[in-house]
Structures are given as C-alpha cells and as structure tokens.
C-alpha cells in the first residue's frame, strides 16, 4: 500500500489525511534502517531501575481504572515543572497527542478564527479543520533560521483577534526554539486582544549547546492566558507509556476533562504509576534530560562530520537545529522528496520523513535520537544511498 498524495483527500469528512503518521505507520515496522523517529532512544524498565536507581514498585499496583484526570501524585509532579502551577492546573492524557486534541476541543468553536505556527507536526492543523475553524497560517522562514515569526503573529492577533494561537516550541520539524523576549512580546499582544496561546512544548528540555532552557508559555503569559501541552515521549525516552499532559487554568482543565470523558477516560494505571516516579524525582528527571541532550549532540556531531567528507558535499543542505531530536535538510537535486523517500525505503530499507508531510516539499526530516553506537552506521548508509540516487538523477 502506498500513500500517493499526502495533501488531497480526507481521512473522514472534514479531517485531512495525517500524512506523517500514516507515512510512518505504513513503513516503520518494515524499515531496515530507522531514521524517522523524532524522539530519543527508548528506555527499558530495567534501565530505569538499574541505571537511574528508580524504585518502580509495580507489584503492588492495582490494575483498575485509576484517576481519570491523572493521579494526585502525577498531577503534582507535572505541576512542579511549571512555576505557578498546581495539581488543579494539570490534566493527564494519553500522550501529548491527546492533550493537543483536548486543547482544540476545549478552546475552539466552529467558525472561530485561529492562528497556527507553520511548519509544524500537522496534528493541530488537521484537528482545527475538523472543528470547523477558520485557520490563518503564520509561516516561519529558512532565511532567518526558521525563527518564530513574532511580528507576523502579532499582526495577525491585532488584525483578526483570533480566539487562539497554536505554536510548537521548540518547533517540529525545524528545531528552532523561542525564548523569553519573543514569547513576552507575543504574550503582550495576546493579552491585549484576549487571545489564548496554546503551545505544544513536548521538546522542551532538549535544547542544544546553549545551557538555556526554553521557558513554558504558561510561565511567560500566565495560566489565564496560556495552555501548555507536553509528555514523556520525546525528551524522556518513554513513548510506550503514552503519558502526556495539559497545563492551564482550572476552567480550561475542566472543559478538557469533560471532553476526555468521551475519549480515553483515563491513562493506563501502570503508566501513571511509572510516570509519577519519574517526574517526582528531580534527579531522575534531570538525568533523562541530560541523556537526551547527550544522544542528540553526539549524533549531530557525527552527521556534521560525514556531510563535510569528500563526496557527500552537496547531498543535503541542513538547517542545523537548536533543539529537538531531528534535522531538517533541503535536498537540492531531488525533483520530489516524497518520491525520494519512497525510493530510499524500497531500494535500501531506509526510512526518513519526506518534507511533503510538513508542507515543505524538497526537504527530508532525519531523526537524531538513535543510540549513538548505531547512528553513525545508519547515517552513513543514508548518505551512500542518497549518493547513488543522486547519480541516477544526474543528466547523462
């Protein structure tokens, strides 16, 4: 089965096809070389116990439904990540994907005008169309390193008074991150017009080389003016737990919880328990964040060195990220990167993500979160495959 056109058609009436998720679902279980993941190498329970000294205490966990909004322990641990937040400001969700869905359902009515940061992961973009919102796009530019287009966002807020602005920070797929100055300017404009800022912050904590942590929008704009979503999948290497969360004022939490009653009801009780132990330990949390930064830094260095080697120059034009676990790169010689990604998979068993899934044709997103012991071999195979495909496309 092949995804022929990621843009046309609908999954169900009103819901655009989710190109990225369908692309990965159709290919990742059969890939020989997996470079499509956007998080860091997943951990095992054994590693959590032995390497990080975490007493999981699973034997005594009763396998009931648990707390529908998340256990008090989990909500308190999550609240501790955000200055000024308490457990009443947290709703636990099945991954950050459910948190994003609940945010859209709780905050946006059919016909509302909203603004979306572009490019992005494209989940919220699709959900807003299903909701019947009028979507205005604020595109980042590669000319300035894909920085958050604050001036454009402020203009849209002032002119259109949107009910909400949806932003991914750090950004996926570009790896650009916005800090206090940009976020403060945006928060001031949103407060003037009564606009809610909704930030997907799932890569917060995976900043590269600066020593600066991206601030949460709920700390900059305040809980009454902002919503943050996040989870354990990307930075913490625990995607299989399917634990995410939404942080907001109590009114928004109540509205989102009311929607959750119709979706997953509660997160798995074992996942709640493990997440509570991980997030409740500042030492373990810090160690896992440092692990993620170390993995990505090593892989970035390896890939940078390979691209500078004789024969590899000109294969890719990378946009070096300042955060996240992926690299966006332009492929200057490719006619279409969806077709190129298909050829990489079919001929070489190598899976990367085509830029068409982010509305960025001509680019590839390459995962940087694999075990550094394996990544160099995988990256070299990718570059050699690209080299062969480049020769095939060269005029004779």
């Amino acid at each position: 089965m092949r995804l022929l056109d990621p843009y046309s058609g609908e999954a169900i009436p009103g819901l655009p096809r989710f190109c990225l998720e369908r692309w990965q679902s159709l290919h990742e279980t059969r890939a020989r070389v997996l470079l499509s993941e956007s998080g860091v190498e997943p951990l095992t329970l054994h590693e959590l116990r032995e390497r990080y000294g975490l007493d999981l205490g699973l034997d005594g966990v009763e396998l009931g439904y648990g707390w529908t909004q998340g256990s008090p322990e989990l909500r308190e641990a999550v609240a501790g990540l955000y200055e000024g937040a308490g457990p009443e400001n947290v709703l636990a969700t099945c991954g950050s994907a459910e948190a994003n869905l609940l945010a859209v359902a709780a905050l946006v009515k059919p016909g509302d005008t909203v603004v979306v940061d572009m490019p992005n992961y494209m989940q919220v973009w699709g959900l807003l169309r299903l909701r019947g919102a009028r979507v205005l796009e604020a595109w980042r530019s590669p000319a300035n390193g894909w920085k958050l287009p604050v001036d454009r966002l402020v203009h849209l807020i002032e002119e259109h008074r949107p009910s909400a602005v949806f932003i991914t920070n750090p950004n996926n797929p570009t790896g650009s991150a916005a800090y206090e100055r940009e976020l403060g300017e945006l928060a001031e404009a949103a407060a003037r017009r009564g606009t809610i800022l909704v930030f997907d912050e799932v890569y917060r904590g995976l900043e590269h080389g600066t020593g600066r942590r991206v601030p949460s929008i709920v700390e900059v704009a305040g809980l009454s003016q902002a919503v943050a979503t996040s989870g354990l999948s990307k930075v913490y290497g625990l995607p299989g737990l399917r634990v995410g969360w939404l942080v907001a004022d109590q009114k928004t939490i109540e509205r989102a919880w009311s929607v959750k009653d119709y979706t997953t009801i509660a997160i798995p009780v074992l996942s709640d328990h493990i997440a509570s132990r991980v997030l409740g330990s500042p030492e373990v949390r810090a160690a896992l964040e440092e692990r993620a930064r170390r993995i990505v830094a090593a892989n970035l260095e390896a890939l940078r060195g390979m691209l500078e080697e004789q024969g590899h120059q000109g294969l890719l034009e990378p946009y070096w990220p300042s955060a996240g676990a992926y690299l966006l790169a332009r492929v200057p010689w490719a006619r279409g990167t969806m077709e190129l990604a298909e050829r990489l998979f079919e001929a070489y068993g190598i899976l990367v993500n085509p830029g068409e899934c982010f509305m960025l044709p001509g680019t590839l997103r390459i995962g940087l979160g694999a075990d550094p012991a394996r990544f160099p071999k995988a990256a070299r195979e990718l570059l050699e495959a690209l080299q062969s495909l480049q020769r095939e496309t060269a005029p004779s």
Side-chain angles (χ1 to χ4, degrees), residues 262-281:
Y262 281 92
T263 56
T264 59
I265 302 177
I267 67 174
V269 67
L270 288 174
S271 296
D272 187 308
H273 181 83
I274 296 170
S276 298
R277 297 293 178 97
V278 170
L279 294 175
S281 169

Side-chain angles (χ1 to χ4, degrees), residues 74 77-78 81 232 236 243 245 274-282 284-285:
L74 178 57
V78 171
L81 305 177
L232 292 179
Y236 296 98
V243 170
W245 54 83
I274 296 170
S276 298
R277 297 293 178 97
V278 170
L279 294 175
S281 169
V284 171
R285 194 173 67 237

Side-chain angles (χ1 to χ4, degrees), residues 76-308:
E76 185 166 348
V78 171
L81 305 177
Y82 302 87
E83 186 177 344
E88 69 278 6
N89 301 118
V90 176
L91 179 66
T93 62
C94 288
S96 58
E98 188 187 28
N100 290 336
L101 183 152
L102 298 180
V104 169
L107 295 169
V108 180
K109 302 186 302 297
D112 277 2
T113 296
V114 296
V115 176
V116 178
D117 169 38
M118 296 288 284
N120 64 46
Y121 170 59
M122 300 304 288
Q123 180 204 12
V124 164
W125 180 88
L127 290 172
L128 289 168
R129 280 160 172 77
L130 179 65
R131 191 66 168 148
R134 176 188 176 224
V135 179
L136 306 177
E137 298 174 353
W139 277 88
R140 297 168 183 250
S141 170
N144 66 355
W146 301 102
K147 289 183 180 178
L148 187 69
V150 176
D151 290 346
R152 172 66 175 157
L153 288 164
V154 169
H155 171 76
L156 290 172
I157 290 170
E158 296 286 359
E159 182 175 349
H160 297 278
R161 299 189 178 216
S163 59
V165 173
F166 291 84
I167 289 173
T168 307
N169 188 44
N171 181 258
N172 176 14
T174 68
S176 175
Y179 289 85
E180 285 85 354
R181 184 185 61 79
E182 303 101 308
L183 301 185
E185 187 177 344
L186 186 62
E188 289 177 6
R192 287 194 298 269
R193 296 305 189 193
T195 296
I196 300 295
L197 300 175
V198 186
F199 273 49
D200 180 339
E201 299 176 344
V202 75
Y203 292 100
R204 182 172 173 245
L206 221 175
E207 302 84 5
H208 306 325
T210 64
R212 297 175 64 200
R213 186 180 180 86
V214 167
S216 175
I217 194 60
V218 299
E219 297 170 343
V220 175
L223 286 162
S224 64
Q225 202 66 45
V227 174
T229 66
S230 193
L232 292 179
S233 295
K234 306 304 182 182
V235 179
Y236 296 98
L238 298 168
L241 291 182
R242 306 309 303 136
V243 170
W245 54 83
L246 186 148
V247 179
D249 63 16
Q250 287 180 262
K251 180 181 177 181
T252 302
I253 292 296
E254 177 60 36
R255 289 173 64 87
W257 187 11
S258 295
V259 179
K260 195 176 190 299
D261 290 338
Y262 281 92
T263 56
T264 59
I265 302 177
I267 67 174
V269 67
L270 288 174
S271 296
D272 187 308
H273 181 83
I274 296 170
S276 298
R277 297 293 178 97
V278 170
L279 294 175
S281 169
E283 295 80 12
V284 171
R285 194 173 67 237
L288 294 184
E289 290 180 359
E290 175 56 31
R291 170 185 181 263
R293 289 191 290 268
R294 187 173 62 250
I295 287 172
V296 175
N299 292 341
L300 263 175
E301 183 179 1
L303 183 58
R304 192 188 297 268
M306 290 180 204
L307 287 174
E308 292 173 355

